[in-house]
Amino acid sequence: MRRILLFLVVTLLATPLGVWAQGVTTAGLTGIVKDKAGELIPGANVVVTHIPSGTTYGAATRVDGLYNIEGMRVGGPYTVKVSFVGFKEQVHEEVYLELGQTLILDYDLISDATELQAVVITGVQDAILNSEKMGASSNFSNRQITRLPSIGRDFRDITRLTPQAGGSSLSFGGRSNLYNNVSIDGATMNNVFGLNPLPGGQSSASPFGLDAIQEISVSLSPYDVRQGNFTGAGISAITRSGTNQLSGSAYYFFRSQSFAGTTIDGVASPIPDFNFKNYGFRLGGPIIKDKLFFFMNAEIEQRSDPFYTFPVRKTGEASSNTNTQATDDADPSTGMAGLRDFLKTNYNYDPGVYKDFSRATESKRYVLRLDYNISQNHKLTLRGNITNSFQDQFPSGSGGFTGGPTGGRGNTNNVLSFSSSFYRINNNQYSGTMELNSLFGGGKFANSLVVGYTALRDFRQNAGGLDVPSIATVDILGPNGQNLTSFGPDPFTKNNKLDQDVIQFNDNFTIYLKDHTVTVGTANEYYSFNNVFTQVVNG
C-alpha cells in the first residue's frame, strides 16, 4: 500500500495541475457513528453491499467517528452494515445513491448488553436536502429516463427538463451551448474544435443511445474542485452496468406522418411524408459472479424527410406552397426538365433530380462496458463507444447570388436546386475510457483515476454518398436577380474533413482529516486537430 501511495503522490507532484476537470461518474457515502450516549466510536466497521451485483465497499470510522466511502456504483439497492465489538450490528437496507451524490447516513449503536424488544435503525437519509450536495443541479435516474417521454430518443429531451434549460439548443442559464461540458463515464464528449457542441451534432446525431444510459446529472454551479470546464452546464452521464442477473431488452420505435396531426385550430396544415425508425438491443450480466460484469448496447436510428419544402410548380398552378420561379412544364424542353435534358444532351452531365428527393439521416451506436471488482477497495471500469452517423444537407449559399434573404442554393419559395448540389456530412466517433476507483487506509484515503481517448472523424461527401463529376458549380439567376437554380457539386465539399484526437488523464486523491476533506489532483486534456478545407476547387 505504501508503494501505491508513494506512486500516486509522485505522479501528482510531477504532473502540472490542469485547468480542466471531468464530469462525475460515481456516488459516495459518509456519516458519523456514535453510541447512545453520544460518544464517538472510532474503528467501527462499515460494509456496504450493492445487492444486484454483490459489489462490496468497506471503511472504518476514524478517531472522529466519521467514515467516507467514495467511487461507488450509482443506483442500488444497497445494504449498509455497521458493527463494533460490544455493540449490536445495525443493518440499513434499500439505500439508493444518485450520480454525484454523497449520501449522509449517521448511526447510533446500541450496546450488546442492552436488552430491547427491537433494534431501531437511526440512519436517516434525504436525497434532496443534503449538506454534502454542492451547488444547483438536476439528476435523472434510470427510472425517470425510462418513463419520461422522448420523441427523438435523445438524452437532450431529458436534460431540457432542467429548470435553467433554454429549450432544444442544449443551452443553460442563457449561455451558448458551446460553453457546456458533456461527459460520459468521465470521458469528454465535446466537439472541442467548436463547430458544434456535441460529436455528431452536424448530422443531428446523439453521441450515445438513450437505452445505454444509467443516469444523467446536470450541474449549473458545482462548488466542487473536481468539476469544471464549463460556464453553461456540466452534463454527466454514465452507462449501465452488468449485475449478477442476466437481463436485456430489444426495442423498436417508429414514427411517420401518419402519426402527426394535419389541422391546427380547424385549419388544414398538411404534413410532408417522413419516416423515423429506432431499433436495437441491450444485454448485461455476470462473467464471474460478484466479480466481473459486462454490458452491451447496439442501436440504429434512421430518418427520411423530403428535401423540398417548396416543390416545383406545375404550369398554371398556384404558387403559395411551391417554388415561385421554377416550373415543371409538360413540355420536357422547358423548365427544370428542359434544363436537365439540355445538360445531358450537350454536356453528357446529369445534374440529378429536382423533385421527390429525400433527405437521409442515419446513426449507428455501439457501447461495450466491463466492470471488475478487483477487491473490496479497488474497482475497475472499461468502456468503449462507437457512433457512426451521417445526414444529407442543403448546398452552401456562401459565395452565391443570394439576392436577399430568400436567395441561396437550397430550397425556398424562390430557389430550387438539383440534387447534385447537395452534400452529406459524416460524423464518426470512437471513444474508450478506463476508470479505477480505490480506497486506502480503511477509508482514510480515496483515489479516482480516469484515462480516456476519443477520435472524431468528420468528412463530407456529395448528397447520397454518390460521386459527382468534377465540374464547376453553376448558379442560374431568375428574372428578379435571385438564384433560380444551381447544379454541380457543392463548392465546399470536396477535400473537406476534420480529424480530432482527444487524450484525457484525470486523477483525484482525497484525504479525510478530522475536520476537513482535502482533494488534490490533476486534470488534463490533450487535443490534436487535422483540418482540410479546399474551397471552390472546381471553380
Side-chain angles (χ1 to χ4, degrees):
M1 182 185 299
R2 291 180 179 177
R3 290 181 179 179
I4 296 175
L5 288 175
L6 179 61
F7 168 76
L8 290 173
V9 171
V10 172
T11 300
L12 292 174
L13 292 177
T15 307
L17 190 64
V19 297
W20 310 119
Q22 75 277 19
V24 293
T25 60
T26 59
L29 200 63
T30 188
I32 188 168
V33 179
K34 301 180 292 184
D35 61 17
K36 278 297 183 180
E39 295 294 327
L40 303 176
I41 302 179
N45 193 33
V46 182
V47 178
V48 187
T49 303
H50 183 255
I51 300 303
S53 67
T55 303
T56 60
Y57 306 85
T61 56
R62 304 185 293 275
V63 293
D64 53 6
L66 285 167
Y67 69 92
N68 293 87
I69 304 176
E70 296 292 336
M72 300 177 67
R73 279 192 179 211
V74 173
Y78 280 93
T79 295
V80 183
K81 294 182 179 181
V82 183
S83 60
F84 189 68
V85 177
F87 292 84
K88 293 182 180 295
E89 181 183 75
Q90 289 199 12
V91 179
H92 194 167
E93 298 179 334
E94 296 296 318
V95 176
Y96 290 85
L97 302 178
E98 294 182 355
L99 178 61
Q101 177 191 34
T102 299
L103 184 65
I104 300 175
L105 287 180
D106 297 331
Y107 291 91
D108 294 338
L109 298 187
I110 300 172
S111 173
D112 220 1
T114 305
E115 295 293 335
L116 296 175
Q117 293 291 330
V119 176
V120 179
I121 305 297
T122 58
V124 178
Q125 68 181 82
D126 190 326
I128 306 300
L129 300 177
N130 193 318
S131 62
E132 290 291 321
K133 187 172 182 179
M134 298 184 181
S137 64
S138 298
N139 185 274
F140 304 96
S141 66
N142 180 260
R143 179 183 178 90
Q144 293 171 311
I145 294 172
T146 303
R147 295 194 172 194
L148 287 170
S150 175
I151 294 179
R153 297 280 297 160
D154 194 315
F155 82 100
R156 285 168 285 195
D157 293 339
I158 307 300
T159 59
R160 71 170 58 115
L161 298 175
T162 302
Q164 297 87 353
S168 59
S169 63
L170 208 63
S171 170
F172 296 86
R175 292 291 284 167
S176 165
N177 52 22
L178 295 176
Y179 291 92
N180 297 328
N181 183 46
V182 182
S183 67
I184 179 169
D185 293 333
T188 297
M189 283 292 156
N190 304 316
N191 188 328
V192 291
F193 196 77
L195 296 179
N196 200 276
L198 291 174
Q202 292 173 294
S203 56
S204 300
S206 173
F208 42 83
L210 195 62
D211 216 61
I213 299 302
Q214 172 68 27
E215 200 155 313
I216 300 173
S217 174
V218 181
S219 298
L220 274 300
S221 55
Y223 307 113
D224 187 338
V225 69
R226 296 170 297 180
Q227 299 185 52
N229 192 21
F230 62 89
T231 56
I235 304 172
S236 301
I238 58 171
T239 51
R240 293 177 185 253
S241 303
T243 65
N244 282 327
Q245 182 178 1
L246 186 67
S247 64
S249 69
Y251 51 92
Y252 176 64
F253 298 88
F254 63 94
R255 287 184 292 124
S256 70
Q257 72 283 351
S258 301
F259 295 89
T262 57
T263 59
I264 300 176
D265 196 22
V267 179
S269 180
I271 302 296
D273 293 349
F274 71 92
N275 189 279
F276 171 85
K277 299 177 183 177
N278 179 273
Y279 52 94
F281 78 94
R282 62 174 172 85
L283 183 67
I287 299 175
I288 303 174
K289 186 179 180 181
D290 296 340
K291 196 76 173 177
L292 182 62
F293 310 91
F294 78 94
F295 172 81
M296 64 176 65
N297 171 244
E299 74 171 30
I300 298 176
E301 180 180 307
Q302 297 171 321
R303 178 164 181 140
S304 177
D305 298 273
F307 244 131
Y308 296 126
T309 307
F310 298 92
V312 65
R313 175 170 53 92
K314 300 290 186 181
T315 301
E317 183 181 20
S319 60
S320 58
N321 293 316
T322 60
N323 185 274
T324 59
Q325 298 195 56
T327 59
D328 190 12
D329 295 333
D331 182 356
S333 65
T334 61
M336 297 292 287
L339 175 58
R340 183 186 183 193
D341 183 67
F342 173 82
L343 294 172
K344 292 173 66 176
T345 302
N346 293 275
Y347 298 97
N348 194 29
Y349 171 67
D350 187 350
V353 298
Y354 56 90
K355 60 180 179 179
D356 302 325
F357 179 37
S358 295
R359 182 184 195 182
T361 302
E362 182 174 288
S363 178
K364 297 179 180 179
R365 298 182 278 260
Y366 310 95
V367 175
L368 177 62
R369 170 170 171 153
L370 296 175
D371 289 273
Y372 180 33
N373 296 332
I374 302 173
S375 67
Q376 180 172 282
N377 293 326
H378 303 282
K379 308 293 189 294
L380 177 68
T381 297
L382 300 174
R383 192 265 305 157
N385 183 77
I386 297 176
T387 300
N388 295 326
S389 60
F390 68 79
Q391 185 179 63
D392 290 334
Q393 304 282 350
F394 290 103
S396 172
S398 181
F401 297 93
T402 57
T406 57
R409 296 191 181 97
N411 176 229
T412 68
N413 63 335
N414 290 300
V415 183
L416 186 68
S417 297
F418 284 94
S419 60
S420 62
S421 295
F422 292 71
Y423 70 91
R424 171 172 292 182
I425 183 70
N426 294 268
N427 299 135
N428 298 323
Q429 170 197 337
Y430 310 91
S431 176
T433 307
M434 184 278 289
E435 180 178 5
L436 178 63
N437 291 293
S438 303
L439 292 174
F440 308 97
K444 295 179 181 178
F445 310 100
N447 191 78
S448 177
L449 172 66
V450 176
V451 179
Y453 170 71
T454 300
L456 305 177
R457 300 294 182 259
D458 304 330
F459 61 95
R460 286 191 184 189
Q461 294 174 290
N462 294 298
L466 303 175
D467 290 331
V468 175
S470 297
I471 67 169
T473 302
V474 179
D475 296 324
I476 299 178
L477 303 186
N480 60 0
Q482 295 178 337
N483 262 16
L484 171 65
T485 186
S486 298
F487 64 85
D490 174 81
F492 307 102
T493 290
K494 190 173 183 179
N495 299 334
N496 190 333
K497 72 173 186 175
L498 171 63
D499 296 342
Q500 305 178 58
D501 293 277
V502 182
I503 299 175
Q504 181 176 352
F505 177 85
N506 300 322
D507 191 90
N508 293 311
F509 186 71
T510 302
I511 306 170
Y512 299 103
L513 304 176
K514 182 178 180 180
D515 297 317
H516 304 279
T517 298
V518 178
T519 299
V520 61
T522 180
N524 306 272
E525 293 179 10
Y526 303 93
Y527 307 138
S528 174
F529 305 113
N530 179 30
N531 184 213
V532 181
F533 180 55
T534 53
Q535 56 182 331
V536 202
V537 293
N538 295 323

